[in-house]
Amino acid sequence: DGKLVGKYAGASGTSEMTDLTFEDNTVKFNVTVGNDMVITFSAIVAEDKLSGMLSLQFGEAAIAGTKRK
């Protein structure tokens, strides 16, 4: 149906991604972890790399990643 879906796996466990979009090489999504804490991710995807920011109630942090081979 054209919807993007994904699953987040991190130190706080696994969660379904919500509001997942990919437009103009930018991926955005939210995840809810722990005691209903929402983390918002936004990152640019270029070649095999990803760089951006996450934000949550405590502030923001830079994120980076590379495609697994």
Side-chain angles (χ1 to χ4, degrees), residues 5-68:
V5 295
K7 198 170 265 192
Y8 166 86
S12 298
T14 302
S15 177
E16 297 292 326
M17 294 176 180
T18 60
D19 302 320
L20 177 58
T21 62
F22 183 71
E23 190 173 313
D24 297 326
N25 292 342
T26 301
V27 62
K28 295 180 181 181
F29 60 92
N30 300 320
V31 295
T32 302
V33 296
N35 293 328
D36 296 326
M37 179 173 54
V38 177
I39 306 173
T40 300
F41 291 82
S42 178
I44 295 172
V45 179
E47 298 179 16
D48 289 345
K49 298 185 191 273
L50 173 140
S51 63
M53 297 291 289
L54 68 78
S55 61
L56 62 155
Q57 65 192 40
F58 305 112
E60 295 184 329
I63 57 172
T66 56
K67 183 177 180 179
R68 290 184 184 176

